[in-house]
Structure formats: structure tokens, C-alpha cells
Amino acid sequence: MKVIKQYKWRILWAGKWTTTNHHATEEDIKVNNPEAICLPHTLIEREIPETDAEILANNRRLCTGILTNRATYMPPKEFLSSFSDDVPF
């Protein structure tokens, strides 16, 4: 995985110094705001998957597709009766 560092920045906008509402990398912010000043205490490090295996592992970790709390959602009994007994509801 690739780790990118993002910060909030002080930029000169409409003649006044202001802080960005979003985090951005130095390369991204310097395109439009070469005078931008980094705010080190706002650092966020993000891990970005690069290979297909890393993307699949990340998707598996975040999206199991399994209901972990059955009380959260239970289909209507009429719906369940239309399936055979091997459906895990």
C-alpha cells in the first residue's frame, strides 16, 4: 500500500489568508496555490491500495456483505417462505 500525507493549508484567497476546509497533498495544493503554507498539526496519513490483491483485501475488510446484527434487518416472513431452508436468514 502507498501512504500519502495530507494536510490542511493556509492559502491566499481573495486577498486574505484563509485555511482550507479539505485536506490535500503538497503536490495537489501547489498547483493552484504556490504560496500555500502547511499546517503540520492537521496531518492525515492515508493508505491507498495499489495492486489488485490489496484492493480486494481492502474491500473484503470493509464490505463483508454479512448482516452482523440480525435485529437490524429481518425480511418479511412471506419473503422468507418463498426460499428453501438453505438460505441463511
Side-chain angles (χ1 to χ4, degrees), residues 5 9 20 29 34 45 50 54 57 72:
K5 295 182 179 185
W9 298 83
T20 60
I29 201 76
E45 290 184 348
E50 293 182 297
E54 289 175 342
T72 304

Side-chain angles (χ1 to χ4, degrees), residues 19-89:
T19 303
T20 60
N21 291 330
H22 65 281
H23 287 77
T25 62
E26 183 173 6
E27 297 81 29
D28 292 338
I29 201 76
K30 295 290 182 174
V31 171
N32 294 323
N33 302 291
E35 75 288 344
I37 300 169
C38 174
L39 301 175
H41 64 279
T42 62
L43 171 66
I44 292 179
E45 290 184 348
R46 298 185 192 267
E47 292 182 345
I48 308 298
E50 293 182 297
T51 65
D52 290 341
E54 289 175 342
I55 292 170
L56 288 173
N58 195 40
N59 287 345
R60 268 190 251 105
R61 184 177 58 86
L62 298 175
C63 306
T64 62
I66 298 172
L67 295 173
T68 55
N69 183 2
R70 291 188 69 187
T72 304
Y73 171 75
M74 196 61 180
K77 294 199 183 307
E78 304 83 42
F79 177 76
L80 292 176
S81 64
S82 65
F83 292 100
S84 63
D85 292 335
D86 62 343
V87 177
F89 283 112

